[in-house]
Amino acid sequence: MTIQTQTQSSKAYESTVKHGETLVDVQGLKMYFPVTAGLFIQRKVADVRAVDGLDFKVTKGETLGLVGESGCGKSTTGRALLQLYRPTAGTVNFGGTELTKLKGTELRRFRRRMQMIFQDPFSSLNPRMSVGQIIGEPLAIHGLYKGAERRERIQYILQAVGLNPTFARRYPHEFSGGQRQRIGIGRALAVEPEFIVCDEPVSALDVSIQAQVINLLEDLQGQFGLTYLFIAHDLAVVRHISDRVAVMYLGRMMELADRNELYENPLHPYTKALLSAVPITDPELERKRERIILTGDVPSPLRPPPGCVFNTRCPIAVDECRERVPEWREMAPNHFVACHRV
Amino acid sequence: MARLLEVNNLKTYFFTDEGVVRAVNGVSWHLDEGETLALVGESGSGKSVTAMSILRLIPNPPGRIVDGTVLFEGKDLLKMSDSEMRSIRGNRIAMVFQEPMTSLNPVLTVGAQIREALQLHLGLDEDGANARAVELLELVGIPEADQRIKDYPHQFSGGMRQRVMIAMALSCNPKLLIADEPTTALDVTIQAQVLEIMARLATELNTAVLVITHNLGVVARYADRVNVMYAGEIVESGSAIEVFKRPRMPYTVGLMASVPRLDATEKVRLATIEGQPPLLIQEIQGCPFRPRCDWAIDKCATDHPELEEKEPGHWARCHRNPQTDERTRMPAGAAAAGN
Ligand SMILES: Nc1ncnc2c1ncn2[C@@H]1O[C@H](COP(=O)(O)OP(=O)(O)OP(=O)(O)O)[C@@H](O)[C@H]1O
Ligand SMILES: Nc1ncnc2c1ncn2[C@@H]1O[C@H](COP(=O)(O)OP(=O)(O)OP(=O)(O)O)[C@@H](O)[C@H]1O
Ligand SMILES: [Mg+2]
Ligand SMILES: [Mg+2]
């Protein structure tokens, strides 16, 4: 696959954020979903605390990996950052602009700088739109490139994601899973975003196809200076692609550190258990590994346990863990953890 | 170790409007008592169809086992009557599938379903079956088992349902357990729970396991031997340690290099296998992997390679040796590695 080097268009906005500076600054982010009951009058009976107080930053040009078990709030975090959900509380500062305060057109204009790639390459593409229309749609929304210029742009994007430019006239059902995922990436890329939330972009793909899409995301990052929030539950994939990795559990962040620091020197008992649960693809090494097998299941986000949310499954929990929420502390430079026991 | 299962030249075809799909096209392999064998390979390569053929659960039409024998404890399963087969399935040969919700009956309590299996296969009475059912749930780590047994499947989490399936599967002390993607739908910590329980029980009961999985880590941890499938054939077979360390078939080489390692401290570019597997409807000339192979030579286009014993106990279907021979083509993706 060859990617033609072609410069971004003159329509690119001037980003105010330089490589290595903070692009997204998240403080106290909460996203609660109300649970309602009642036949005629809906009243709120409880909240699903999908995301419950996150503090983190994303640096321009980096890939921040976000891992954790099903339902821990990874997708909700990504959507709340992009304001696809309006957060219940907290702030999301994007290159100096507070997104949670933006409304209507202002927000829509900003959306051009932040895009999303979804997990399921089958349901996330409209089957009645041609590939050209799918990639052209965000361009139309943002009023970018008209007529022949737009067609050229679509061809350029198809080429950038490793698809034949003549595919523009075809429909999603004519493509394999990996090719569809490339189309989804192309759609996100079309408007020249700075920041892309990749929500499980390779989870639905066969391993050999996974590698193609991961390589593509890495190439595009280098080529266009992109910043990624990369959500996945495969810890090996996350280690591979990320510069830093954050671990979530039941709506909260447990630990955040540089990739090698987190995998070689995990501090939180949940991170340790999570890493030990993943077998290494080397029979001789793997058979010598000690494992921490967690018991029980993840509690419901409707009734998170008091204190540290992990205390019901934690092998080293003490009374304090059941009573007091641990604060988010920087234990070593750039290594954050929320645990009373470290 | 005594031979438990022997699959010889198994062919399972689907007769569709578009043509004949040669889903499993002459596979031969064996499994000894108490052994764990993993079946890996690309999506659509015939892993599930192989398992379903052994269990005689191929939908007919459109599918049919057109050739081969499946000797289980010396008797050919393919020649048995339907009633003989029913008494073996879920008893001597147990199975666990990917989606536990569809394998459990939603309108019966979990307890009722386990009791039914125990009464049917072990001839226990009501009380005996109940006591054994509670024991089994405890064995697979379900807390308050005597209470939870009254619950319906939807009241259990995915991991709990899968553990119930394993409890049921192993309740009759089967000689063989067939597990098709048993933990794919589960979270990693729950996956680890379920797999550890499965492996422990299999060891205790000396049950042989055929596990089908995409997760090479699972193979590395649990499998004694591995069979790699491609386009309806076994393309490599050997001990897990050998196959991971020195894969002898280029597809396996690509597969191993395309998964990132959890313990990799350096960022290396992942290998990819460009292209698609062949359509199984067409008659394939030469090696089915040739169009995607970095080691292909002229002979590969014309001669279909046989499964050969390359090292003692390590078989591969390849005219070349990817461990020692030069590549004939740059690996896919290497050209873009510069940026
Ligand atoms: N729109 C919604 N309304 C109500 N509850 C929601 C909504 N979206 C998510 N939730 C709940 O919030 C919690 C977090 O969900 P989220 O989808 O963010 O998890 P996730 O970490 O992405 O999980 P997965 O790995 O399964 O994708 C879950 O309990 C989920 O059921
Ligand atoms: N009922 C059917 N009718 C026609 N073709 C079928 C049928 N069932 C399976 N096949 C074909 O048989 C081939 C092998 O399928 P199988 O389900 O065994 O693949 P697999 O290796 O288990 O793949 P996966 O990893 O995706 O589960 C595929 O090409 C599939 O399309
Ligand atoms: Mg999600
Ligand atoms: Mg299958």
Side-chain angles (χ1 to χ4, degrees), chain A residues 70 119 203-205 233, chain B residues 47 96-100 158 162 179-188 190-192 194-195 211-215 218:
Chain A
S70 183
Q119 167 168 2
S203 309
L205 306 174
H233 56 254
Chain B
K47 305 182 295 295
V96 180
F97 298 118
Q98 175 169 351
E99 203 1 273
Q162 199 59 315
D180 191 349
E181 306 275 3
T183 59
T184 306
L186 306 176
D187 272 320
V188 278
I190 309 293
Q191 265 187 32
V194 169
L195 289 169
V211 60
I212 297 175
T213 179
H214 282 278
N215 187 330
V218 169

PDB file of all heavy atoms in Angstrom, chain A residues 70 119 203-205 233, chain B residues 47 96-100 158 162 179-188 190-192 194-195 211-215 218:
ATOM      1  N   SER A  70     -16.031  -4.280  29.841  1.00  0.00           N
ATOM      2  CA  SER A  70     -17.288  -3.875  29.241  1.00  0.00           C
ATOM      3  C   SER A  70     -18.140  -3.096  30.244  1.00  0.00           C
ATOM      4  O   SER A  70     -18.310  -3.517  31.383  1.00  0.00           O
ATOM      5  CB  SER A  70     -18.026  -5.126  28.782  1.00  0.00           C
ATOM      6  OG  SER A  70     -19.201  -4.759  28.152  1.00  0.00           O
ATOM      7  N   GLN A 119     -16.704   1.030  16.390  1.00  0.00           N
ATOM      8  CA  GLN A 119     -16.312  -0.371  16.456  1.00  0.00           C
ATOM      9  C   GLN A 119     -16.821  -1.195  15.283  1.00  0.00           C
ATOM     10  O   GLN A 119     -16.082  -1.935  14.665  1.00  0.00           O
ATOM     11  CB  GLN A 119     -16.840  -0.989  17.757  1.00  0.00           C
ATOM     12  CG  GLN A 119     -16.757  -2.508  17.759  1.00  0.00           C
ATOM     13  CD  GLN A 119     -17.004  -3.101  19.121  1.00  0.00           C
ATOM     14  OE1 GLN A 119     -17.272  -2.393  20.076  1.00  0.00           O
ATOM     15  NE2 GLN A 119     -16.901  -4.406  19.227  1.00  0.00           N
ATOM     16  N   SER A 203     -11.717  -4.194  17.069  1.00  0.00           N
ATOM     17  CA  SER A 203     -12.224  -5.326  17.855  1.00  0.00           C
ATOM     18  C   SER A 203     -13.034  -6.319  17.040  1.00  0.00           C
ATOM     19  O   SER A 203     -13.076  -7.492  17.365  1.00  0.00           O
ATOM     20  CB  SER A 203     -13.071  -4.816  19.015  1.00  0.00           C
ATOM     21  OG  SER A 203     -12.354  -3.848  19.723  1.00  0.00           O
ATOM     22  N   ALA A 204     -13.699  -5.843  15.990  1.00  0.00           N
ATOM     23  CA  ALA A 204     -14.575  -6.746  15.236  1.00  0.00           C
ATOM     24  C   ALA A 204     -13.844  -7.423  14.074  1.00  0.00           C
ATOM     25  O   ALA A 204     -14.455  -8.125  13.289  1.00  0.00           O
ATOM     26  CB  ALA A 204     -15.782  -5.964  14.716  1.00  0.00           C
ATOM     27  N   LEU A 205     -12.535  -7.213  13.974  1.00  0.00           N
ATOM     28  CA  LEU A 205     -11.816  -7.708  12.797  1.00  0.00           C
ATOM     29  C   LEU A 205     -10.958  -8.931  13.125  1.00  0.00           C
ATOM     30  O   LEU A 205     -10.463  -9.085  14.225  1.00  0.00           O
ATOM     31  CB  LEU A 205     -10.922  -6.596  12.249  1.00  0.00           C
ATOM     32  CG  LEU A 205     -11.619  -5.271  11.932  1.00  0.00           C
ATOM     33  CD1 LEU A 205     -10.595  -4.217  11.536  1.00  0.00           C
ATOM     34  CD2 LEU A 205     -12.655  -5.445  10.833  1.00  0.00           C
ATOM     35  N   HIS A 233     -10.445  -3.041  24.403  1.00  0.00           N
ATOM     36  CA  HIS A 233     -10.300  -3.897  25.572  1.00  0.00           C
ATOM     37  C   HIS A 233      -9.129  -4.865  25.417  1.00  0.00           C
ATOM     38  O   HIS A 233      -8.774  -5.551  26.351  1.00  0.00           O
ATOM     39  CB  HIS A 233     -11.608  -4.607  25.911  1.00  0.00           C
ATOM     40  CG  HIS A 233     -12.152  -5.400  24.775  1.00  0.00           C
ATOM     41  ND1 HIS A 233     -13.242  -4.999  24.053  1.00  0.00           N
ATOM     42  CD2 HIS A 233     -11.712  -6.532  24.215  1.00  0.00           C
ATOM     43  CE1 HIS A 233     -13.449  -5.860  23.096  1.00  0.00           C
ATOM     44  NE2 HIS A 233     -12.542  -6.803  23.160  1.00  0.00           N
TER      45      HIS A 233
ATOM     46  N   LYS B  47     -13.280 -24.064  10.917  1.00  0.00           N
ATOM     47  CA  LYS B  47     -13.096 -24.552  12.283  1.00  0.00           C
ATOM     48  C   LYS B  47     -14.423 -25.003  12.897  1.00  0.00           C
ATOM     49  O   LYS B  47     -14.537 -26.131  13.394  1.00  0.00           O
ATOM     50  CB  LYS B  47     -12.470 -23.447  13.157  1.00  0.00           C
ATOM     51  CG  LYS B  47     -11.164 -22.909  12.595  1.00  0.00           C
ATOM     52  CD  LYS B  47     -10.537 -21.865  13.479  1.00  0.00           C
ATOM     53  CE  LYS B  47     -11.345 -20.585  13.626  1.00  0.00           C
ATOM     54  NZ  LYS B  47     -11.484 -19.811  12.384  1.00  0.00           N
ATOM     55  N   VAL B  96     -19.421 -26.551  24.427  1.00  0.00           N
ATOM     56  CA  VAL B  96     -19.665 -25.192  24.900  1.00  0.00           C
ATOM     57  C   VAL B  96     -19.497 -24.268  23.702  1.00  0.00           C
ATOM     58  O   VAL B  96     -18.495 -24.346  23.004  1.00  0.00           O
ATOM     59  CB  VAL B  96     -18.653 -24.781  25.997  1.00  0.00           C
ATOM     60  CG1 VAL B  96     -18.915 -23.364  26.471  1.00  0.00           C
ATOM     61  CG2 VAL B  96     -18.707 -25.743  27.162  1.00  0.00           C
ATOM     62  N   PHE B  97     -20.496 -23.426  23.459  1.00  0.00           N
ATOM     63  CA  PHE B  97     -20.409 -22.519  22.318  1.00  0.00           C
ATOM     64  C   PHE B  97     -20.200 -21.093  22.774  1.00  0.00           C
ATOM     65  O   PHE B  97     -20.254 -20.780  23.954  1.00  0.00           O
ATOM     66  CB  PHE B  97     -21.675 -22.623  21.457  1.00  0.00           C
ATOM     67  CG  PHE B  97     -21.872 -23.991  20.884  1.00  0.00           C
ATOM     68  CD1 PHE B  97     -22.983 -24.749  21.217  1.00  0.00           C
ATOM     69  CD2 PHE B  97     -20.927 -24.523  20.031  1.00  0.00           C
ATOM     70  CE1 PHE B  97     -23.151 -26.019  20.703  1.00  0.00           C
ATOM     71  CE2 PHE B  97     -21.088 -25.795  19.511  1.00  0.00           C
ATOM     72  CZ  PHE B  97     -22.203 -26.546  19.845  1.00  0.00           C
ATOM     73  N   GLN B  98     -20.009 -20.214  21.776  1.00  0.00           N
ATOM     74  CA  GLN B  98     -19.680 -18.827  22.078  1.00  0.00           C
ATOM     75  C   GLN B  98     -20.767 -18.097  22.857  1.00  0.00           C
ATOM     76  O   GLN B  98     -20.491 -17.451  23.847  1.00  0.00           O
ATOM     77  CB  GLN B  98     -19.416 -18.077  20.771  1.00  0.00           C
ATOM     78  CG  GLN B  98     -19.176 -16.597  20.987  1.00  0.00           C
ATOM     79  CD  GLN B  98     -18.651 -15.925  19.739  1.00  0.00           C
ATOM     80  OE1 GLN B  98     -18.306 -16.580  18.770  1.00  0.00           O
ATOM     81  NE2 GLN B  98     -18.579 -14.618  19.761  1.00  0.00           N
ATOM     82  N   GLU B  99     -22.012 -18.180  22.396  1.00  0.00           N
ATOM     83  CA  GLU B  99     -23.043 -17.331  22.992  1.00  0.00           C
ATOM     84  C   GLU B  99     -23.887 -18.145  23.978  1.00  0.00           C
ATOM     85  O   GLU B  99     -24.772 -18.880  23.577  1.00  0.00           O
ATOM     86  CB  GLU B  99     -23.923 -16.733  21.889  1.00  0.00           C
ATOM     87  CG  GLU B  99     -24.660 -15.461  22.224  1.00  0.00           C
ATOM     88  CD  GLU B  99     -24.449 -14.867  23.613  1.00  0.00           C
ATOM     89  OE1 GLU B  99     -25.181 -15.272  24.543  1.00  0.00           O
ATOM     90  OE2 GLU B  99     -23.575 -13.998  23.792  1.00  0.00           O
ATOM     91  N   PRO B 100     -23.599 -17.995  25.275  1.00  0.00           N
ATOM     92  CA  PRO B 100     -24.282 -18.835  26.242  1.00  0.00           C
ATOM     93  C   PRO B 100     -25.784 -18.567  26.317  1.00  0.00           C
ATOM     94  O   PRO B 100     -26.553 -19.441  26.666  1.00  0.00           O
ATOM     95  CB  PRO B 100     -23.603 -18.487  27.565  1.00  0.00           C
ATOM     96  CG  PRO B 100     -22.924 -17.191  27.352  1.00  0.00           C
ATOM     97  CD  PRO B 100     -22.626 -17.103  25.900  1.00  0.00           C
ATOM     98  N   GLY B 158     -23.051 -12.526  31.636  1.00  0.00           N
ATOM     99  CA  GLY B 158     -22.516 -13.347  30.545  1.00  0.00           C
ATOM    100  C   GLY B 158     -21.487 -14.356  31.040  1.00  0.00           C
ATOM    101  O   GLY B 158     -21.494 -15.519  30.642  1.00  0.00           O
ATOM    102  N   GLN B 162     -21.778 -18.465  31.041  1.00  0.00           N
ATOM    103  CA  GLN B 162     -20.799 -19.322  30.395  1.00  0.00           C
ATOM    104  C   GLN B 162     -20.245 -20.343  31.390  1.00  0.00           C
ATOM    105  O   GLN B 162     -19.976 -21.479  31.029  1.00  0.00           O
ATOM    106  CB  GLN B 162     -19.701 -18.472  29.749  1.00  0.00           C
ATOM    107  CG  GLN B 162     -18.888 -19.175  28.679  1.00  0.00           C
ATOM    108  CD  GLN B 162     -19.718 -19.679  27.505  1.00  0.00           C
ATOM    109  OE1 GLN B 162     -20.777 -20.271  27.665  1.00  0.00           O
ATOM    110  NE2 GLN B 162     -19.228 -19.453  26.298  1.00  0.00           N
ATOM    111  N   ALA B 179     -15.107 -26.917  22.669  1.00  0.00           N
ATOM    112  CA  ALA B 179     -15.415 -25.542  23.059  1.00  0.00           C
ATOM    113  C   ALA B 179     -15.107 -24.614  21.883  1.00  0.00           C
ATOM    114  O   ALA B 179     -13.956 -24.448  21.505  1.00  0.00           O
ATOM    115  CB  ALA B 179     -14.591 -25.154  24.287  1.00  0.00           C
ATOM    116  N   ASP B 180     -16.160 -24.050  21.275  1.00  0.00           N
ATOM    117  CA  ASP B 180     -15.995 -23.181  20.108  1.00  0.00           C
ATOM    118  C   ASP B 180     -16.075 -21.736  20.573  1.00  0.00           C
ATOM    119  O   ASP B 180     -17.137 -21.255  20.943  1.00  0.00           O
ATOM    120  CB  ASP B 180     -17.092 -23.491  19.080  1.00  0.00           C
ATOM    121  CG  ASP B 180     -16.828 -22.812  17.728  1.00  0.00           C
ATOM    122  OD1 ASP B 180     -15.930 -21.947  17.653  1.00  0.00           O
ATOM    123  OD2 ASP B 180     -17.533 -23.135  16.759  1.00  0.00           O
ATOM    124  N   GLU B 181     -14.958 -21.034  20.582  1.00  0.00           N
ATOM    125  CA  GLU B 181     -14.865 -19.656  21.055  1.00  0.00           C
ATOM    126  C   GLU B 181     -15.571 -19.500  22.408  1.00  0.00           C
ATOM    127  O   GLU B 181     -16.465 -18.679  22.557  1.00  0.00           O
ATOM    128  CB  GLU B 181     -15.515 -18.692  20.037  1.00  0.00           C
ATOM    129  CG  GLU B 181     -14.991 -18.809  18.627  1.00  0.00           C
ATOM    130  CD  GLU B 181     -13.738 -17.977  18.380  1.00  0.00           C
ATOM    131  OE1 GLU B 181     -13.235 -17.354  19.335  1.00  0.00           O
ATOM    132  OE2 GLU B 181     -13.265 -17.994  17.244  1.00  0.00           O
ATOM    133  N   PRO B 182     -15.162 -20.279  23.417  1.00  0.00           N
ATOM    134  CA  PRO B 182     -15.945 -20.300  24.654  1.00  0.00           C
ATOM    135  C   PRO B 182     -15.930 -18.986  25.428  1.00  0.00           C
ATOM    136  O   PRO B 182     -16.821 -18.747  26.223  1.00  0.00           O
ATOM    137  CB  PRO B 182     -15.270 -21.408  25.475  1.00  0.00           C
ATOM    138  CG  PRO B 182     -13.874 -21.483  24.961  1.00  0.00           C
ATOM    139  CD  PRO B 182     -13.972 -21.143  23.503  1.00  0.00           C
ATOM    140  N   THR B 183     -14.954 -18.135  25.191  1.00  0.00           N
ATOM    141  CA  THR B 183     -14.877 -16.923  26.013  1.00  0.00           C
ATOM    142  C   THR B 183     -14.793 -15.643  25.195  1.00  0.00           C
ATOM    143  O   THR B 183     -14.562 -14.575  25.740  1.00  0.00           O
ATOM    144  CB  THR B 183     -13.644 -16.965  26.947  1.00  0.00           C
ATOM    145  OG1 THR B 183     -12.468 -17.095  26.154  1.00  0.00           O
ATOM    146  CG2 THR B 183     -13.720 -18.110  27.928  1.00  0.00           C
ATOM    147  N   THR B 184     -15.010 -15.742  23.886  1.00  0.00           N
ATOM    148  CA  THR B 184     -14.821 -14.571  23.028  1.00  0.00           C
ATOM    149  C   THR B 184     -15.693 -13.389  23.433  1.00  0.00           C
ATOM    150  O   THR B 184     -15.290 -12.240  23.329  1.00  0.00           O
ATOM    151  CB  THR B 184     -15.113 -14.954  21.564  1.00  0.00           C
ATOM    152  OG1 THR B 184     -14.306 -16.086  21.259  1.00  0.00           O
ATOM    153  CG2 THR B 184     -14.761 -13.845  20.611  1.00  0.00           C
ATOM    154  N   ALA B 185     -16.914 -13.681  23.912  1.00  0.00           N
ATOM    155  CA  ALA B 185     -17.831 -12.590  24.226  1.00  0.00           C
ATOM    156  C   ALA B 185     -17.589 -12.008  25.621  1.00  0.00           C
ATOM    157  O   ALA B 185     -18.289 -11.103  26.037  1.00  0.00           O
ATOM    158  CB  ALA B 185     -19.280 -13.092  24.107  1.00  0.00           C
ATOM    159  N   LEU B 186     -16.592 -12.522  26.327  1.00  0.00           N
ATOM    160  CA  LEU B 186     -16.428 -12.124  27.728  1.00  0.00           C
ATOM    161  C   LEU B 186     -15.252 -11.184  27.937  1.00  0.00           C
ATOM    162  O   LEU B 186     -14.298 -11.174  27.173  1.00  0.00           O
ATOM    163  CB  LEU B 186     -16.221 -13.378  28.584  1.00  0.00           C
ATOM    164  CG  LEU B 186     -17.293 -14.460  28.453  1.00  0.00           C
ATOM    165  CD1 LEU B 186     -16.897 -15.668  29.288  1.00  0.00           C
ATOM    166  CD2 LEU B 186     -18.648 -13.942  28.879  1.00  0.00           C
ATOM    167  N   ASP B 187     -15.321 -10.431  29.024  1.00  0.00           N
ATOM    168  CA  ASP B 187     -14.224  -9.548  29.398  1.00  0.00           C
ATOM    169  C   ASP B 187     -12.996 -10.334  29.823  1.00  0.00           C
ATOM    170  O   ASP B 187     -13.108 -11.461  30.302  1.00  0.00           O
ATOM    171  CB  ASP B 187     -14.659  -8.683  30.575  1.00  0.00           C
ATOM    172  CG  ASP B 187     -15.331  -7.433  30.085  1.00  0.00           C
ATOM    173  OD1 ASP B 187     -14.856  -6.873  29.098  1.00  0.00           O
ATOM    174  OD2 ASP B 187     -16.328  -7.034  30.688  1.00  0.00           O
ATOM    175  N   VAL B 188     -11.824  -9.701  29.709  1.00  0.00           N
ATOM    176  CA  VAL B 188     -10.584 -10.434  29.978  1.00  0.00           C
ATOM    177  C   VAL B 188     -10.511 -11.069  31.361  1.00  0.00           C
ATOM    178  O   VAL B 188     -10.090 -12.216  31.485  1.00  0.00           O
ATOM    179  CB  VAL B 188      -9.301  -9.597  29.751  1.00  0.00           C
ATOM    180  CG1 VAL B 188      -8.951  -9.583  28.293  1.00  0.00           C
ATOM    181  CG2 VAL B 188      -9.420  -8.208  30.295  1.00  0.00           C
ATOM    182  N   ILE B 190     -12.948 -12.010  33.242  1.00  0.00           N
ATOM    183  CA  ILE B 190     -13.938 -13.088  33.296  1.00  0.00           C
ATOM    184  C   ILE B 190     -13.476 -14.246  32.402  1.00  0.00           C
ATOM    185  O   ILE B 190     -13.610 -15.418  32.752  1.00  0.00           O
ATOM    186  CB  ILE B 190     -15.326 -12.578  32.839  1.00  0.00           C
ATOM    187  CG1 ILE B 190     -15.702 -11.293  33.588  1.00  0.00           C
ATOM    188  CG2 ILE B 190     -16.387 -13.651  33.006  1.00  0.00           C
ATOM    189  CD1 ILE B 190     -15.942 -11.445  35.055  1.00  0.00           C
ATOM    190  N   GLN B 191     -12.896 -13.905  31.254  1.00  0.00           N
ATOM    191  CA  GLN B 191     -12.305 -14.927  30.373  1.00  0.00           C
ATOM    192  C   GLN B 191     -11.327 -15.790  31.146  1.00  0.00           C
ATOM    193  O   GLN B 191     -11.359 -17.015  31.070  1.00  0.00           O
ATOM    194  CB  GLN B 191     -11.510 -14.256  29.251  1.00  0.00           C
ATOM    195  CG  GLN B 191     -12.258 -14.056  27.983  1.00  0.00           C
ATOM    196  CD  GLN B 191     -11.352 -13.543  26.866  1.00  0.00           C
ATOM    197  OE1 GLN B 191     -10.168 -13.860  26.805  1.00  0.00           O
ATOM    198  NE2 GLN B 191     -11.923 -12.763  25.984  1.00  0.00           N
ATOM    199  N   ALA B 192     -10.464 -15.122  31.896  1.00  0.00           N
ATOM    200  CA  ALA B 192      -9.453 -15.845  32.655  1.00  0.00           C
ATOM    201  C   ALA B 192     -10.114 -16.760  33.683  1.00  0.00           C
ATOM    202  O   ALA B 192      -9.734 -17.924  33.817  1.00  0.00           O
ATOM    203  CB  ALA B 192      -8.508 -14.857  33.344  1.00  0.00           C
ATOM    204  N   VAL B 194     -13.127 -18.129  33.577  1.00  0.00           N
ATOM    205  CA  VAL B 194     -13.822 -19.226  32.903  1.00  0.00           C
ATOM    206  C   VAL B 194     -12.821 -20.255  32.370  1.00  0.00           C
ATOM    207  O   VAL B 194     -12.991 -21.461  32.548  1.00  0.00           O
ATOM    208  CB  VAL B 194     -14.710 -18.666  31.767  1.00  0.00           C
ATOM    209  CG1 VAL B 194     -15.229 -19.777  30.877  1.00  0.00           C
ATOM    210  CG2 VAL B 194     -15.869 -17.869  32.349  1.00  0.00           C
ATOM    211  N   LEU B 195     -11.752 -19.764  31.733  1.00  0.00           N
ATOM    212  CA  LEU B 195     -10.775 -20.686  31.150  1.00  0.00           C
ATOM    213  C   LEU B 195     -10.022 -21.472  32.216  1.00  0.00           C
ATOM    214  O   LEU B 195      -9.748 -22.663  32.042  1.00  0.00           O
ATOM    215  CB  LEU B 195      -9.797 -19.930  30.258  1.00  0.00           C
ATOM    216  CG  LEU B 195     -10.385 -19.412  28.953  1.00  0.00           C
ATOM    217  CD1 LEU B 195      -9.427 -18.457  28.271  1.00  0.00           C
ATOM    218  CD2 LEU B 195     -10.748 -20.557  28.015  1.00  0.00           C
ATOM    219  N   VAL B 211     -10.398 -26.960  21.575  1.00  0.00           N
ATOM    220  CA  VAL B 211     -10.797 -25.560  21.753  1.00  0.00           C
ATOM    221  C   VAL B 211     -10.544 -24.792  20.462  1.00  0.00           C
ATOM    222  O   VAL B 211      -9.474 -24.869  19.865  1.00  0.00           O
ATOM    223  CB  VAL B 211     -10.096 -24.918  22.975  1.00  0.00           C
ATOM    224  CG1 VAL B 211      -8.580 -24.936  22.840  1.00  0.00           C
ATOM    225  CG2 VAL B 211     -10.582 -23.489  23.208  1.00  0.00           C
ATOM    226  N   ILE B 212     -11.592 -24.097  20.011  1.00  0.00           N
ATOM    227  CA  ILE B 212     -11.488 -23.271  18.811  1.00  0.00           C
ATOM    228  C   ILE B 212     -11.399 -21.832  19.280  1.00  0.00           C
ATOM    229  O   ILE B 212     -12.232 -21.384  20.059  1.00  0.00           O
ATOM    230  CB  ILE B 212     -12.739 -23.457  17.927  1.00  0.00           C
ATOM    231  CG1 ILE B 212     -12.816 -24.914  17.453  1.00  0.00           C
ATOM    232  CG2 ILE B 212     -12.731 -22.480  16.762  1.00  0.00           C
ATOM    233  CD1 ILE B 212     -14.070 -25.236  16.669  1.00  0.00           C
ATOM    234  N   THR B 213     -10.369 -21.119  18.849  1.00  0.00           N
ATOM    235  CA  THR B 213     -10.224 -19.743  19.336  1.00  0.00           C
ATOM    236  C   THR B 213      -9.425 -18.887  18.377  1.00  0.00           C
ATOM    237  O   THR B 213      -8.613 -19.385  17.599  1.00  0.00           O
ATOM    238  CB  THR B 213      -9.546 -19.735  20.732  1.00  0.00           C
ATOM    239  OG1 THR B 213      -9.409 -18.379  21.172  1.00  0.00           O
ATOM    240  CG2 THR B 213      -8.160 -20.375  20.699  1.00  0.00           C
ATOM    241  N   HIS B 214      -9.684 -17.576  18.422  1.00  0.00           N
ATOM    242  CA  HIS B 214      -8.881 -16.601  17.682  1.00  0.00           C
ATOM    243  C   HIS B 214      -7.773 -16.054  18.563  1.00  0.00           C
ATOM    244  O   HIS B 214      -6.934 -15.300  18.101  1.00  0.00           O
ATOM    245  CB  HIS B 214      -9.761 -15.425  17.243  1.00  0.00           C
ATOM    246  CG  HIS B 214     -10.601 -15.740  16.054  1.00  0.00           C
ATOM    247  ND1 HIS B 214     -10.107 -15.678  14.785  1.00  0.00           N
ATOM    248  CD2 HIS B 214     -11.881 -16.123  15.936  1.00  0.00           C
ATOM    249  CE1 HIS B 214     -11.059 -16.008  13.935  1.00  0.00           C
ATOM    250  NE2 HIS B 214     -12.147 -16.292  14.611  1.00  0.00           N
ATOM    251  N   ASN B 215      -7.847 -16.378  19.842  1.00  0.00           N
ATOM    252  CA  ASN B 215      -6.940 -15.771  20.801  1.00  0.00           C
ATOM    253  C   ASN B 215      -5.679 -16.627  20.940  1.00  0.00           C
ATOM    254  O   ASN B 215      -5.681 -17.667  21.596  1.00  0.00           O
ATOM    255  CB  ASN B 215      -7.679 -15.640  22.138  1.00  0.00           C
ATOM    256  CG  ASN B 215      -6.882 -14.862  23.146  1.00  0.00           C
ATOM    257  OD1 ASN B 215      -5.646 -14.876  23.130  1.00  0.00           O
ATOM    258  ND2 ASN B 215      -7.578 -14.172  24.029  1.00  0.00           N
ATOM    259  N   VAL B 218      -4.558 -17.608  24.422  1.00  0.00           N
ATOM    260  CA  VAL B 218      -5.270 -18.741  25.013  1.00  0.00           C
ATOM    261  C   VAL B 218      -4.627 -20.053  24.546  1.00  0.00           C
ATOM    262  O   VAL B 218      -4.420 -20.980  25.326  1.00  0.00           O
ATOM    263  CB  VAL B 218      -6.773 -18.696  24.647  1.00  0.00           C
ATOM    264  CG1 VAL B 218      -7.477 -19.991  25.006  1.00  0.00           C
ATOM    265  CG2 VAL B 218      -7.438 -17.506  25.336  1.00  0.00           C
TER     266      VAL B 218
END
